[in-house]
Amino acid sequence: MNTVNQFIDVSYHREKEGFEERKKVAKSIMDKELYEQFYPSEKFVYGDSYTSIPNDVQLYVQQYDGGQEEVEVTAEFTNHLVIKDENVDDQTHDIIKVSLRKEESKWVVYSIEELKTEIMK
């Protein structure tokens, strides 16, 4: 659950401030292919006026007995997106399915499926 919370923070929290720290965490909790999807560039590409911050994260784990090597977690959260240059200030309601596998005694996110994203009025 902690890994999924970290994953949401480093994947959906987008802003220039703290980018390098989030990138380091992402590299430690994502497999190589997924990491390259979320961090295709060395630099923050969105500019100074873009922020996206997840809130109210709820996690639901599939049945887990402690012995599995893979597990899926459904995450539901709101995301606050602001793009000052474009006068965008939206809240979205997001539901994603995060797939993790155990690698060397830690959980690594290897797949994400967006189940729902809707703009809240």
Side-chain angles (χ1 to χ4, degrees):
M1 299 297 256
N2 188 33
T3 301
V4 175
N5 271 320
Q6 285 181 306
F7 172 76
I8 290 169
D9 185 51
V10 300
S11 315
Y12 288 87
H13 180 176
R14 296 183 187 119
E15 66 180 315
K16 199 168 192 175
E17 187 178 319
F19 174 75
E20 290 301 323
E21 292 78 23
R22 287 190 301 277
K23 196 167 123 178
K24 282 180 196 157
V25 171
K27 195 165 199 153
S28 74
I29 63 167
M30 291 185 203
D31 79 351
K32 188 176 189 307
E33 291 83 30
L34 194 63
Y35 173 79
E36 288 171 357
Q37 283 178 26
F38 279 96
Y39 290 89
S41 158
E42 286 300 307
K43 300 268 185 265
F44 186 71
V45 296
Y46 294 105
D48 292 333
S49 76
Y50 185 105
T51 61
S52 167
I53 301 175
N55 301 297
D56 303 325
V57 178
Q58 304 291 315
L59 302 177
Y60 309 95
V61 69
Q62 75 173 47
Q63 185 174 352
Y64 179 68
D65 63 16
Q68 290 114 299
E69 293 296 309
E70 295 193 4
V71 69
E72 290 181 342
V73 176
T74 301
E76 183 174 3
F77 57 94
T78 58
N79 204 8
H80 187 196
L81 172 65
V82 176
I83 308 173
K84 291 178 190 151
D85 294 346
E86 299 173 23
N87 285 331
V88 171
D89 189 343
D90 289 333
Q91 289 267 12
T92 60
H93 176 234
D94 297 89
I95 301 175
I96 61 173
K97 182 167 63 176
V98 180
S99 300
L100 303 99
R101 70 175 162 250
K102 204 159 218 181
E103 290 183 4
E104 301 172 10
S105 77
K106 70 175 186 169
W107 290 100
V108 174
V109 177
Y110 70 89
S111 175
I112 173 178
E113 181 182 348
E114 295 196 4
L115 302 177
K116 176 182 172 185
T117 298
E118 70 179 355
I119 293 179
M120 299 163 58
K121 297 291 177 214

